[in-house]
Amino acid sequence: MKELMTKIKTFFLSTKAPKPWEWIILGILIAIPFLSYFYGDTMSIVNYEVGFMGAVKNYGGWTSYYEYMKYLVESDPFGFGSHNYAYATYDFPMYIVLGIWGIPLWIFCGSKGLDVNAFYLARIYGKSVLPAALAVSAVLIYSICKELKLSRQQAGWGAFLFASSMCVFTAIGINGQTDILGIPFILLGLRAYIRHRRIPFVLWFMIAVMFKMYAFFIFAPLLLLAEKKLWKIGGSVAAVWALKVVQAVIFSPHSPAMAIKQQFELEIYNRLTVNRFPFVNGDVPTVLVLIILLCVYCYLHKEIEDVEEFHKYAVWVPMTAMVGLFISFESSSYWYLHLCPYLSLMLVYNTANLKNNVLFETAGLIAVTLSNYGSRPWAFEIYGCHNMLLEKFFGNYNAVEEAYLLEQFAHRVSIVKYVGALNAVFVVTMLAFVWMNLPEKTGHETEKSIRGYAYARLFLNAAVAYIPLALFVYNLLFLA
């Protein structure tokens, strides 16, 4: 027994990179909710994939995509049910990625007039664009760690910590949303920035802002940290928004479908700016105050010549930008995924404070996840498991006459009661994380063992993420 305990201790204190079998364990833990859950919005995303080729072949070409999706929502020409569809409200590059990924779905289902969401394997393939983007993002995290002069072992743990983040389980495994699709472009831009390659930095962020506007909140302070000439700043900002202008030329903003898209974008902007600071006779949006403060700080900061200092700011600035964004408004549960790359990078970059960093990052993201279980349970509700993997093992969900839902569970264990307190934990831990990892406080220990912390964090995250799945199994085993 003593020899076994020694081997276990040696394993967890090892500084070696994650082994292939450890990646397999992580993959299985993510795959179980991924294969077992189909959120309502994911149904619309799969139809976005099929709708792209539908517009090309049957409607008027790719430039008719927005109108085609509007037609599907309002007419339901195939009789699948209008609930299958949603208006196209993203920028067009998102639909290019989804459309290319969805070509096999179009060939086997869409072109034959079949409802793609009626087939389990088609659903899984449609969703699989998300873990594919996760894998690309993890590889880029590894590459960025190498650019930061971290060892191969610690770069491996950086990728592992990102892929095992709390929000990866919820946003990709459960909610099945598209936020992950833009993250590779942001990471490519960040890597170009670390390499001091200004043109690729701008070009990658030009694409990234078309997936989510949040990318600009990272681009702007990073640009201002490195560039002090106003005309170059203005030119770079204009370049980043160039694709928006091109899109407005291709797709008339006065068409009915684009008017719906613009209304959606206005609603998102209003949601971003609803929380405000009182100011004299009015108020100002909290999120804009925080982001502009960061931009001013970066602009007034002296030019950085030391390589190590530049690396520290290249990690701290995007992390701080995303923390400032997500503590300042009511986010959808899956948007928090945009925090995870930079928190995970900092975990392996500032290993001198690894214990506290893992503690605060884990506590903060678990707190906001539990808060979301209480405040927006519909995004995680157990009926999302209907016709998915767990139902194939445990029985038909429709056999449960009075299901015990996540919403009831959240009331029973007082999650709903303490939503405000959980949000406060999230805000405080994120602010503390920013403060603990200020560039002047950052230190790197090359021989620091990460494995033990990574495992504790992984299984805590998985335990919280699996609560909706456990409730589903409980319903089928005890209430059916």
Side-chain angles (χ1 to χ4, degrees):
M1 179 61 72
K2 184 177 180 181
E3 183 179 349
L4 175 62
M5 294 303 295
T6 300
K7 287 182 177 180
I8 293 174
K9 183 178 179 181
T10 301
F11 171 75
F12 282 109
L13 292 178
S14 168
T15 59
K16 293 182 179 179
K19 300 179 185 296
W21 64 265
E22 292 176 290
W23 280 103
I24 291 171
I25 290 174
L26 173 58
I28 292 171
L29 287 174
I30 295 173
I32 290 172
F34 178 82
L35 297 171
S36 302
Y37 207 95
F38 202 72
Y39 181 43
D41 285 2
T42 315
M43 183 178 294
S44 300
I45 291 165
V46 174
N47 275 311
Y48 285 150
E49 296 177 350
V50 178
F52 190 87
M53 288 303 297
V56 170
K57 293 288 187 179
N58 301 331
Y59 206 70
W62 60 271
T63 57
S64 69
Y65 181 77
Y66 289 95
E67 286 72 22
Y68 182 63
M69 293 309 300
K70 179 176 181 293
Y71 166 69
L72 293 179
V73 171
E74 297 176 357
S75 301
D76 185 26
F78 305 111
F80 300 153
S82 59
H83 66 279
N84 269 319
Y85 306 109
Y87 293 107
T89 53
Y90 298 124
D91 287 321
F92 196 62
M94 178 79 79
Y95 299 116
I96 294 176
V97 172
L98 293 175
I100 292 172
W101 193 267
I103 289 174
L105 295 179
W106 164 258
I107 293 172
F108 292 106
C109 295
S111 63
K112 299 177 181 179
L114 300 175
D115 180 7
V116 67
N117 283 306
F119 305 96
Y120 176 71
L121 291 180
R123 285 182 169 194
I124 295 304
Y125 175 79
K127 288 178 63 180
S128 64
V129 67
L130 308 178
L134 173 65
V136 173
S137 300
V139 170
L140 288 170
I141 291 285
Y142 179 90
S143 179
I144 288 171
C145 287
K146 294 294 290 180
E147 294 293 333
L148 296 170
K149 309 303 181 186
L150 301 185
S151 67
R152 181 183 62 83
Q153 292 84 357
Q154 292 188 317
W157 282 112
F160 190 93
L161 288 169
F162 167 64
S164 58
S165 295
M166 179 76 253
C167 300
V168 167
F169 282 100
T170 53
I172 295 175
I174 296 179
N175 296 147
Q177 286 285 3
T178 58
D179 291 79
I180 188 63
L181 298 184
I183 288 177
F185 299 104
I186 298 175
L187 294 176
L188 284 165
L190 180 58
R191 187 177 67 175
Y193 182 83
I194 293 170
R195 291 174 172 176
H196 298 281
R197 298 179 63 188
R198 182 65 57 83
I199 292 177
F201 165 63
V202 173
L203 291 177
W204 286 123
F205 271 94
M206 180 193 301
I207 300 172
V209 297
M210 299 295 286
F211 284 80
K212 242 355 179 242
M213 183 178 62
Y214 306 152
F216 187 73
F217 295 155
I218 292 173
F219 172 80
L222 284 176
L223 174 66
L224 292 168
L225 183 67
E227 183 57 68
K228 309 302 178 185
K229 294 180 179 178
L230 294 179
W231 69 272
K232 288 188 177 181
I233 293 171
S236 297
V237 170
V240 159
W241 292 107
L243 285 182
K244 287 276 189 181
V245 176
V246 172
Q247 178 177 258
V249 172
I250 296 173
F251 303 99
S252 171
H254 304 296
S255 71
M258 294 304 285
I260 292 171
K261 177 180 181 296
Q262 290 171 346
Q263 179 60 37
F264 175 80
E265 290 172 342
L266 178 61
E267 290 172 1
I268 294 298
Y269 176 79
N270 289 337
R271 186 170 165 186
L272 273 171
T273 58
V274 69
N275 291 337
R276 294 171 175 261
F277 289 124
F279 187 76
V280 192
N281 294 324
D283 49 41
V284 291
T286 305
V287 63
L288 296 184
V289 170
L290 296 178
I291 294 299
I292 292 172
L293 276 174
L294 179 61
C295 287
V296 170
Y297 170 81
C298 289
Y299 179 70
L300 295 179
H301 194 283
K302 64 178 178 64
E303 292 189 28
I304 301 174
E305 297 181 358
D306 181 75
V307 173
E308 185 177 357
E309 184 182 6
F310 179 78
H311 287 170
K312 291 177 180 180
Y313 276 93
V315 179
W316 183 82
V317 167
M319 180 196 73
T320 302
M322 289 297 96
V323 168
L325 174 66
F326 287 106
I327 67 170
S328 60
F329 79 107
E330 183 187 3
S331 169
S332 292
S333 55
Y334 35 85
W335 292 347
Y336 293 102
L337 180 65
H338 289 271
L339 271 167
C340 296
Y342 320 105
L343 297 177
S344 301
L345 279 171
M346 190 60 80
L347 291 180
V348 291
Y349 192 59
N350 188 13
T351 49
N353 199 24
L354 179 63
K355 178 182 177 180
N356 286 333
N357 277 344
V358 170
L359 173 64
F360 279 70
E361 186 261 5
T362 306
L365 293 185
I366 285 179
V368 80
T369 300
L370 291 174
S371 168
N372 282 313
Y373 285 174
S375 61
R376 47 184 71 242
W378 63 86
F380 308 90
E381 202 50 90
I382 62 173
Y383 43 68
C385 296
H386 182 44
N387 285 331
M388 298 300 284
L389 181 66
L390 286 183
E391 190 169 273
K392 296 179 185 298
F393 283 98
F394 295 99
N396 192 330
Y397 174 76
N398 290 325
V400 183
E401 293 184 8
E402 295 185 13
Y404 185 56
L405 300 176
L406 177 64
E407 182 177 11
Q408 295 169 273
F409 174 80
H411 278 280
R412 181 71 176 269
V413 301
S414 298
I415 292 175
V416 173
K417 180 179 179 180
Y418 294 109
V419 162
L422 290 166
N423 288 336
V425 170
F426 170 68
V427 171
V428 172
T429 52
M430 291 298 101
L431 288 174
F433 197 92
V434 169
W435 178 78
M436 289 189 301
N437 294 285
L438 286 166
E440 59 268 23
K441 295 177 180 286
T442 299
H444 183 66
E445 297 180 4
T446 56
E447 296 302 316
K448 190 79 169 185
S449 176
I450 297 174
R451 179 172 273 106
Y453 297 105
Y455 267 78
R457 174 181 177 271
L458 168 61
F459 289 117
L460 280 171
N461 289 345
V464 174
Y466 273 51
I467 289 173
L469 302 181
L471 286 175
F472 178 84
V473 173
Y474 169 80
N475 274 270
L476 270 296
L477 290 182
F478 298 104
L479 302 182

